[in-house]
């Protein structure tokens, strides 16, 4: 299913757009704030972005520019002012289309479908193999490149730290004992020192947790082991 991000501070408009797009079988997320919208656009995988121009936090011009630095997915910009559309064109920000509010929801859906189809043809013709990515909230694990990003910033992991983090992240909400983790990652029959698991968890937390005392990703289940929270 194709995923669309709507960045729009007018809740009623965003909801209306979402309703219509969902009727056409799109999966839709809404962000009402510019900064949150940019974060979502960069950190999650979308097939198209509908971007309002005037937004709290960061305006659509800036967001469009920043998305384009990293991604080439279709961006459809919307604004209440006709003048703004000319400005967007003039700035050459790389938006794929522009609409002036108010517009009919069915027109929006038609344009979204057209851009999606064009983009898919484009990507389809020179498709590169996709990297295998595990993504949970701000944490992005690129299994193919063996790299980890937290809110877009790369964090450096040793081989075992990477393997342990990836294993936990791929099995969220599952509590593993230290013994199980040791066997899984170190590939030995529990003859080694399982304290090494604790040491590695600590190192991973130092890299991904804002507050290691209150971990958001890897939770300690006292007396049992660890669990990756979703
Ligand atoms: Ca607005």
């Amino acid at each position: 299913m194709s995923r669309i991000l709507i960045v729009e501070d007018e809740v009623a408009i965003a909801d209306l757009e979402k309703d219509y797009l969902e009727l056409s079988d799109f999966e839709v997320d809404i962000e009402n704030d510019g900064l949150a919208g940019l974060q979502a656009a960069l950190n999650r995988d979308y097939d198209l972005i509908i971007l309002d121009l005037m937004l709290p936090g960061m305006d659509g011009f800036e967001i469009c520019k920043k998305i384009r630095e990293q991604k080439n997915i279709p961006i459809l910009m919307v604004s209440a002012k006709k003048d703004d559309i000319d400005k967007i064109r003039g700035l050459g920000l790389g938006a794929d289309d522009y609409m002036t509010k108010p517009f009919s929801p069915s027109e929006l859906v038609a344009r979204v479908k057209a851009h999606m189809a064009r983009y898919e043809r484009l990507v389809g013709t020179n498709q590169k193999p996709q990297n295998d990515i595990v993504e949970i909230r701000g944490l992005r694990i690129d299994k193919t490149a063996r790299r980890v990003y937290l809110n877009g910033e790369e964090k450096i992991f040793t081989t075992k730290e990477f393997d342990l983090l990836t294993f936990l992240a791929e099995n969220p909400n599952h509590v593993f004992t230290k013994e199980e983790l040791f066997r899984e990652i170190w590939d030995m029959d529990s003859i080694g020192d399982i304290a090494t698991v604790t040491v590695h968890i600590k190192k991973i937390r130092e890299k991904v947790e804002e507050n290691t005392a209150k971990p958001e990703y890897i939770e300690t289940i006292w007396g049992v082991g660890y669990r990756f929270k979703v």
Side-chain angles (χ1 to χ4, degrees):
M1 194 189 273
S2 297
R3 292 180 73 196
I4 295 175
L5 173 67
I6 298 172
V7 189
E8 168 66 72
D9 58 327
E10 286 169 74
V11 176
I13 293 179
D15 287 345
L16 184 69
E17 292 174 356
K18 182 178 160 112
D19 286 347
Y20 270 83
L21 290 164
E22 283 179 345
L23 282 175
S24 294
D25 278 339
F26 292 110
E27 202 183 309
V28 182
D29 287 343
I30 296 174
E31 292 292 349
N32 301 119
D33 170 86
L35 270 175
L38 176 65
Q39 286 292 330
L42 295 182
N43 293 325
R44 298 186 221 140
D45 278 327
Y46 290 105
D47 300 288
L48 185 139
I49 295 173
I50 298 170
L51 179 60
D52 184 33
L53 190 59
M54 298 307 291
L55 291 161
M58 181 184 276
D59 70 28
F61 292 119
E62 197 62 26
I63 296 172
C64 184
K65 208 171 84 189
K66 291 205 183 293
I67 294 173
R68 269 294 165 269
E69 286 168 7
Q70 294 190 33
K71 297 194 174 191
N72 61 352
I73 49 167
I75 301 175
L76 207 166
M77 293 195 76
V78 297
S79 172
K81 284 191 281 179
K82 189 97 181 60
D83 293 355
D84 286 337
I85 303 295
D86 296 333
K87 200 171 160 196
I88 298 168
R89 280 209 180 91
L91 285 170
L93 294 170
D96 296 88
D97 203 355
Y98 327 88
M99 291 181 84
T100 313
K101 289 192 259 190
F103 46 75
S104 77
S106 50
E107 191 193 348
L108 175 75
V109 172
R111 290 212 199 181
V112 164
K113 283 183 176 169
H115 283 288
M116 210 85 105
R118 185 189 300 164
Y119 183 65
E120 272 160 22
R121 276 199 304 277
L122 210 77
V123 176
T125 49
N126 56 48
Q127 184 122 43
K128 289 187 198 137
Q130 292 283 309
N131 281 15
D132 194 356
I133 307 275
V134 181
E135 205 155 17
I136 295 168
R137 282 168 273 133
L139 187 67
R140 183 179 164 91
I141 304 170
D142 185 332
K143 288 177 66 187
T144 314
R146 293 188 65 89
R147 299 175 106 168
V148 179
Y149 301 86
L150 185 68
N151 298 322
E153 189 192 329
E154 185 170 7
K155 302 283 174 180
I156 307 302
F157 284 77
T158 65
T159 305
K160 292 300 180 199
E161 287 165 11
F162 181 88
D163 291 343
L164 184 55
L165 173 68
T166 306
F167 176 72
L168 287 167
E170 284 190 311
N171 297 280
N173 269 341
H174 185 122
V175 182
F176 293 99
T177 64
K178 286 175 195 172
E179 289 81 2
E180 284 171 329
L181 292 172
F182 188 79
R183 275 200 303 273
E184 186 65 39
I185 307 302
W186 279 265
D187 208 16
M188 286 175 266
D189 269 353
S190 247
I191 12 170
D193 185 2
I194 60 159
T196 194
V197 174
T198 318
V199 174
H200 279 73
I201 293 282
K202 182 169 177 283
K203 294 214 167 118
I204 293 170
R205 280 184 177 148
E206 282 164 7
K207 293 170 197 184
V208 300
E209 301 289 358
E210 204 168 309
N211 178 356
T212 51
K214 283 185 191 158
E216 273 180 65
Y217 295 105
I218 301 174
E219 195 177 18
T220 301
I221 309 299
W222 292 109
V224 189
Y226 301 101
R227 168 172 71 185
F228 196 98
K229 286 205 275 188
V230 281

